[in-house]
Amino acid sequence: MNGFKSVTLLFLWGAIGVVAIGPDSVYGTTTTEKIQQAEEEKEQTQNQLDQTQGQIDSMKGVKKNLEGYLGELNKELAQVGNNLDVLNNKVEEKKKEIEETQKKLEEVKRQVEEHYELMKLRIRHMYENGADFSYISALTEANTFTDYLSRAVYAQRFSEYDQKMLEKLKNLKSEVTKKEILLKEEEKELLNIQENVEKEHKKLGNLVKDTSTNISLYSSEISSAEARALQYEEEVRKKEEDIAALRVQLEKEREIARRAAMNRKKEVSELNIQASDRDLLAALIECEAGGESYEGKIAVGAVVMNRARSSEFPDSISGVIYQNRQFTPVASGRFAIVLARGASSSCYQAADEALSGVSNVGDCLFFRTVIPEIQGIIIGGHVFY
């Protein structure tokens, strides 16, 4: 009686805390594990969503700063552009002024040369005609004092005129030359300023271009991140739906376990075992425990027999094996391949012992790979519960 209670309690614990072998794993994954896994995946996805949203907020902040910076750059670029236009106009004006000054200087030079030529012609003319406008000749040749004064004044005026004209032309030439030098210095200074402003204008233009490119890149990254965020949100929603569905499934399995514990188990002799069941059970044992020890093979066969004896599962070997969403190898097609070629001799031997009622795992209905969270009978790489 105490042994029956122990087996019943072990069965109840396994049925309430875990799920029957399902299609998601060769060895089965319990509903509790699925819920835990779904919760972990949901948390991971939520963390990814939070991180992505944080990245979006950060990138939007950077983009906003860049846009503000770009606005300031455009203002500065426009101001520098205006300054450059003003400088270009000043340079053009200065060039025209220099050209006009150079023309004026050439004109003054021409006048000086022309005056020199006139002086030479006049002096040559006077000497060729025997004219002498010196004071001595004016005194000796004058008939009267009045005539002398007239000759002297005439000669003096010619001399003074020539001196004044030469002085005037020389001064004018000097002024124009100085102005030309000054204008060229001013032009050189303007050209230096113009070169610096052009460099600044080009630098600002490159900054505007680079900033605009960065803004475009951030816009693209933000769009991609927002798309990922939407995907994560959808995944979180789906995980929540999956968790809700798994919780419902868990409650159903707990109810199955409760009913199974209350109902009588059939004896092996009460099962309608067919000749083909031997092949079916041996093929399933090879699929699920082909790499396990002989004890592990018997244990898998015993679980199938325990299900067939339970009122909560199909009452035949074939019904248990082909029950929907229970054994992954059956759903994947691997079971059919092994069944067609025949299982190994050790799997047939284990199937024969299980069919005769041998069980090294008591009344366990489930098995899976060993994990610390599940307590049960461990044989090789499986825990039976």
Side-chain angles (χ1 to χ4, degrees), residues 53-311:
Q53 191 59 56
Q55 292 172 353
I56 291 172
D57 293 340
S58 177
M59 286 190 293
K60 284 185 175 179
V62 174
K63 180 185 174 185
K64 184 177 180 181
N65 290 336
L66 285 173
E67 289 173 340
Y69 179 54
L70 179 61
E72 294 299 323
L73 282 176
N74 281 323
K75 289 180 182 178
E76 189 173 354
L77 181 63
Q79 183 61 48
V80 173
N82 291 336
N83 293 340
L84 186 59
D85 291 339
V86 171
L87 279 171
N88 290 335
N89 292 333
K90 286 186 176 181
V91 169
E92 290 301 319
E93 291 175 359
K94 191 62 64 176
K95 286 181 179 179
K96 290 180 181 180
E97 193 173 355
I98 290 173
E99 289 177 1
E100 292 175 358
T101 302
Q102 288 174 338
K103 289 179 181 179
K104 189 173 182 180
L105 181 60
E106 291 299 321
E107 177 63 22
V108 172
K109 290 178 180 179
R110 187 191 64 77
Q111 291 179 7
V112 171
E113 293 297 327
E114 183 179 335
H115 188 70
Y116 272 116
E117 290 298 323
L118 289 175
M119 284 179 61
K120 288 191 291 182
L121 288 173
R122 184 165 54 252
I123 292 171
R124 180 186 303 170
H125 176 75
M126 287 188 296
Y127 277 101
E128 287 177 353
N129 289 280
D132 185 1
F133 290 95
S134 65
Y135 290 104
I136 296 174
S137 61
L139 179 61
T140 57
E141 294 177 4
N143 296 322
T144 64
F145 183 71
T146 302
D147 186 27
Y148 164 74
L149 289 177
S150 296
R151 286 174 177 270
V153 169
Y154 183 71
Q156 184 180 4
R157 285 180 178 176
F158 260 112
S159 177
E160 289 176 353
Y161 171 77
D162 288 335
Q163 292 298 324
K164 286 181 180 179
M165 283 299 298
L166 286 173
E167 188 68 25
K168 179 179 178 182
L169 290 172
K170 287 179 180 180
N171 291 336
L172 182 59
K173 180 181 178 182
S174 176
E175 290 176 3
V176 174
T177 301
K178 289 179 180 178
K179 185 175 182 181
E180 181 187 25
I181 294 171
L182 179 62
L183 288 173
K184 285 185 176 181
E185 289 177 353
E186 291 176 352
E187 181 190 31
K188 183 178 180 181
E189 185 178 353
L190 282 173
L191 289 173
N192 288 334
I193 296 173
Q194 182 188 41
E195 182 180 1
N196 292 332
V197 173
E198 285 177 346
K199 288 180 180 178
E200 182 67 17
H201 189 266
K202 184 177 180 180
K203 179 180 177 182
L204 286 171
N206 290 333
L207 281 174
V208 168
K209 182 180 178 181
D210 292 343
T211 305
S212 299
T213 300
N214 287 333
I215 290 173
S216 297
L217 290 174
Y218 271 101
S219 297
S220 178
E221 286 295 325
I222 289 170
S223 297
S224 298
E226 287 176 340
R228 291 197 302 272
L230 288 175
Q231 181 181 351
Y232 289 143
E233 288 176 0
E234 179 62 22
E235 289 179 9
V236 169
R237 184 192 64 78
K238 184 66 170 58
K239 294 296 180 186
E240 290 174 346
E241 291 179 354
D242 292 343
I243 291 170
L246 287 170
R247 292 190 185 281
V248 172
Q249 179 65 24
L250 179 60
E251 291 302 317
K252 290 180 180 179
E253 292 169 355
R254 286 174 175 171
E255 179 60 21
I256 291 173
R258 185 186 65 79
R259 292 197 304 267
M262 295 177 63
N263 296 331
R264 186 185 73 86
K265 290 180 61 177
K266 296 175 185 171
E267 297 297 331
V268 174
S269 60
E270 296 180 62
L271 297 177
N272 183 19
I273 299 176
Q274 303 294 318
S276 60
D277 289 343
R278 181 173 181 265
D279 296 325
L280 293 173
L281 186 56
L284 184 66
I285 289 172
E286 180 167 322
C287 288
E288 297 285 9
E292 295 292 326
S293 65
Y294 183 68
E295 289 74 15
K297 292 178 174 64
I298 293 176
V300 170
V303 167
V304 175
M305 292 297 292
N306 287 340
R307 289 192 177 193
R309 295 169 60 195
S310 172
S311 61

Side-chain angles (χ1 to χ4, degrees), residues 340-355:
R341 67 167 167 76
S344 67
S345 59
S346 62
C347 291
Y348 268 107
Q349 184 179 350
D352 289 339
E353 289 205 48
L355 287 169

Side-chain angles (χ1 to χ4, degrees), residues 26-27 288-290 292 296 299-300 367-370 377-384:
V26 172
Y27 305 114
E288 297 285 9
E292 295 292 326
V300 170
F367 69 92
R368 60 151 293 130
T369 52
V370 177
I377 302 171
I378 297 176
I379 301 176
H382 294 154
V383 56
F384 296 83

